[in-house]
């Protein structure tokens, strides 16, 4: 399989090259040149995530050197529960994606990407691979956890200082060793811009071997499709109906994976993007021109994105903006609504939700109020304990952190301040960790 740039100006490359590069040479994002097609029957009676992912991704890995390792990569990276739980209200489920080591859905993709990149590194040139990751809170931890202590790789995490939850900040600085945390004096989009510029910098990429692990990375998008395949297949087998998904969205990587799972043939109904007060996507889906803008800080901080990086991929998949708008709907949710959904979810659904998942709960309730009785899964993207300081005033008792998160919170933590300045960032990279 060849992978092509969304901008169409770069030479198509094979899977390993697309995974290592992060961005295509023309600044675009990689997508497969063709998509395989599947029916539910193609998955026979598979129910486990690693096997489903292996079957799903085999055509994309087919002629690549990584092909032989795909079963092991899936078995090691995707050994994380993704339960689809019925909620105590008609036709409504919750897809829990927070059972990985850093308690957010980013673990699935970060571990898969790490499995691929570490094998590519081991097989290739000896220079250390420097992985740049801009994070709005959860990606950095998932990538740090996936690469911590691994030889031949260094991870640079850039996060917006003061704009992640205290527990997220602690996690980001707690890996030590080959994982360096930089707290940037700026917002998430500034962090993302520094990373993108570095990856496009001919001088820097000649001197250092760079890659990225952001949601722009193909190696994150692909494995994220697998839990939508698993959940929709399970639902189809049990009920004979398509399942819709309401996806808390920022950079649009997770929701795009749901959309791709539907495009390749899985029985998936409506896909609803739940945004916070950052309205770039909701305005677009309401008919306005796509207008990236500065991100604003909200309680759902991992979605504080004003320039969603995967929008370029979404647009590349369709012939026109009208065609994009026909595929998805989007809802914006403000902080007051997030607070109120956190408070009411405990009584209404018997579950405590994180501020991101709360956006999806609000979007669900708007659909229900509008008379939509379809089958929906609210996608729960992080464990509520990561956001204890937001939740504590709103509910009786914040759930305890799951064991892996609790262990990280016991470790010492250190992050270095970095000005929002490209040359300062380059100097830091040249100087090493
Ligand atoms: C990253 C993140 C999101 C947004 O996901 P995208 O793929 O960037 O749209 C939502 N919720 C949580 C908890 C996250 O960490």
């Amino acid at each position: 399989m060849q992978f092509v740039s969304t901008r169409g100006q770069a030479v198509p490359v094979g899977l390993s090259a697309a995974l290592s590069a992060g961005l295509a040479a023309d600044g675009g994002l990689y997508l497969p040149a063709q998509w395989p097609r599947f029916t539910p029957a193609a998955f026979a009676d598979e129910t486990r995530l690693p096997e489903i992912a292996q079957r799903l991704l085999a055509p994309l890995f087919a002629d690549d050197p990584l092909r032989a390792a795909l079963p092991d990569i899936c078995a090691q990276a995707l050994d994380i529960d993704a339960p689809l739980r019925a909620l105590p209200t008609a036709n409504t489920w919750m897809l829990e994606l927070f059972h990985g080591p850093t308690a957010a859905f980013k673990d699935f993709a970060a571990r898969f990407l790490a499995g691929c990149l570490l094998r590519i590194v081991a097989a290739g040139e000896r220079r250390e691979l420097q992985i740049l990751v801009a994070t709005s809170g959860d990606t950095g931890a998932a990538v740090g956890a996936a690469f911590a202590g691994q030889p031949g790789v260094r991870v640079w995490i850039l996060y917006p200082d003061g704009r992640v939850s205290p527990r997220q900040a602690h996690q980001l600085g707690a890996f030590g060793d080959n994982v360096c945390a930089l707290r940037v004096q700026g917002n998430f989009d500034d962090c993302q811009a520094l990373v993108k510029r570095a990856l496009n910098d001919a001088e820097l990429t000649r001197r250092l071997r760079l890659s990225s692990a952001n949601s722009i990375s193909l190696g994150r998008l692909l494995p994220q499709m697998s839990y939508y395949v698993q959940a929709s297949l399970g639902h189809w087998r049990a009920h004979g109906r398509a399942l819709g998904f309401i996806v808390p969205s920022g950079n649009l990587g997770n929701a795009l994976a749901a959309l791709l799972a539907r495009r390749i043939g899985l029985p998936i109904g409506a896909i609803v993007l739940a945004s916070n007060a950052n309205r770039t996507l909701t305005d677009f889906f309401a008919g306005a021109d796509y207008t990236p803008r500065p991100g604003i800080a909200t309680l759902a901080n991992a979605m504080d994105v004003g320039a969603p990086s995967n929008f370029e991929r979404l647009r590349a998949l369709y012939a026109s903006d009208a065609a994009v708008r026909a595929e998805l709907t989007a809802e914006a949710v403000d902080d007051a609504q997030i607070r109120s959904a956190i408070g009411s979810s405990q009584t209404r659904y018997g579950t405590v939700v994180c501020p991101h998942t709360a956006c999806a709960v609000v979007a669900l309730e708007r659909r229900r109020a509008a008379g939509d009785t379809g089958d929906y899964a609210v996608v729960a993207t992080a464990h509520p304990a990561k956001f204890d300081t937001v939740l504590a005033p709103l509910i009786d008792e914040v759930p305890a952190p799951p064991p892996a998160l609790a262990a990280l919170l016991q470790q010492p933590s250190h992050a270095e301040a970095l000005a929002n300045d490209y040359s300062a960032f380059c100097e830091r990279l040249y100087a090493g960790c």
Side-chain angles (χ1 to χ4, degrees):
M1 177 73 69
Q2 293 288 95
F3 292 80
V4 295
S5 165
T6 47
R7 299 191 185 170
Q9 305 296 313
V11 187
V13 297
L15 177 74
S16 286
L19 292 175
S20 325
L23 277 180
D26 60 358
L29 311 183
Y30 283 117
L31 281 169
Q34 297 104 35
W35 287 97
R37 295 283 307 171
F38 290 89
T39 60
F43 293 89
D45 50 5
E46 303 283 26
T47 57
R48 295 192 61 252
L49 195 62
E51 280 83 50
I52 286 174
Q54 196 185 318
R55 204 169 283 233
L56 172 74
L57 300 176
L60 302 179
F61 277 62
D63 48 7
D64 193 83
L66 274 182
R67 169 193 179 171
L70 180 63
D72 282 349
I73 294 171
C74 292
Q76 289 157 13
L78 302 178
D79 181 20
I80 301 175
D81 283 341
L84 181 67
R85 290 196 200 288
L87 294 182
T89 169
N91 305 338
T92 310
W93 286 260
M94 183 167 279
L95 177 60
E96 292 182 0
L97 299 181
F98 52 69
H99 295 286
T102 69
F105 82 89
K106 307 287 195 328
D107 282 321
F108 293 93
R111 286 155 58 95
F112 185 91
L113 177 66
C116 294
L117 288 185
L118 289 168
R119 283 170 174 84
I120 293 171
V121 168
E125 57 170 306
R126 285 276 162 261
R127 272 199 303 169
E128 187 177 60
L129 183 67
Q130 316 262 346
I131 295 179
L132 309 183
V133 53
T135 182
S136 53
D138 288 323
T139 293
V143 172
F147 286 99
Q150 297 286 350
V153 201
R154 180 168 305 282
V155 176
W156 298 90
I157 298 173
L158 286 77
Y159 72 89
D161 199 6
R163 295 206 186 195
V164 304
S165 84
R167 281 185 172 168
Q168 283 176 319
H170 189 102
Q171 251 189 329
L172 293 169
F175 299 104
D177 194 19
N178 60 331
V179 181
C180 319
L182 302 175
R183 44 189 177 86
V184 175
Q185 312 307 305
N187 62 24
F188 169 72
D189 294 300
D190 297 325
C191 297
Q192 188 154 259
L194 288 172
V195 167
K196 273 202 172 187
R197 187 161 166 196
L199 294 170
N200 272 324
D201 181 331
E203 164 73 6
L204 191 69
T205 51
R206 193 176 52 74
R207 289 178 57 187
L208 299 175
R209 186 176 175 206
L210 297 183
S211 186
S212 100
N214 272 67
S215 51
I216 49 181
S217 167
L218 181 72
R220 288 190 43 199
L221 184 61
L222 300 178
Q224 287 178 173
M225 294 166 68
S226 61
Y227 43 74
Y228 292 109
V229 173
Q230 183 187 42
S232 63
L233 270 179
H235 189 79
W236 178 259
R237 288 169 184 155
H239 305 281
R241 297 193 302 265
L243 180 63
F245 291 99
I246 306 182
V247 189
S249 292
N251 265 317
L252 209 51
N254 201 7
L256 185 63
L259 180 71
L260 292 171
R262 188 174 69 187
R263 268 175 73 100
I264 63 169
L266 274 296
I268 292 175
I271 298 170
V272 180
L273 312 178
S275 296
N276 55 24
N278 287 279
R279 300 192 53 101
T280 308
L281 292 171
T282 36
D283 288 352
F284 170 80
F285 282 99
D289 285 342
Y290 176 73
T291 316
R293 59 201 81 168
I296 56 172
T298 75
L299 293 175
N301 64 282
M303 305 174 356
D304 290 348
V305 180
S309 54
N310 274 297
F311 188 79
E312 179 164 343
R313 277 204 175 98
L314 179 62
R315 229 179 200 170
L317 291 169
Y318 297 93
S320 68
D321 283 353
V324 174
R325 290 190 187 103
E327 294 292 312
L328 299 166
T329 56
E331 298 281 342
V333 176
D334 66 27
D335 276 357
Q337 292 163 324
I338 290 175
R339 281 200 187 87
S340 128
I342 289 170
S344 63
S345 287
Q346 197 173 19
T347 40
R348 211 170 282 168
Y349 307 109
T351 185
V352 175
V353 294
C354 85
H356 312 81
T357 309
C359 294
V361 168
V362 174
L364 168 80
E365 292 179 349
R366 286 186 199 158
R367 304 288 293 209
R368 295 301 189 215
D372 183 344
T373 57
D375 290 3
Y376 280 104
V378 167
V379 178
T381 47
H383 192 283
K386 279 190 120 167
F387 306 93
D388 55 327
T389 53
V390 175
L391 269 59
L394 303 172
I395 55 172
D396 299 336
E397 200 182 331
V398 178
L405 174 59
L408 264 182
L409 295 174
Q410 295 301 314
Q411 299 294 321
S413 175
H414 171 74
E416 201 178 304
L418 179 76
N420 177 23
D421 175 68
Y422 184 65
S423 50
F425 178 42
C426 293
E427 268 170 41
R428 207 57 212 78
L429 292 178
Y430 286 132
C433 218

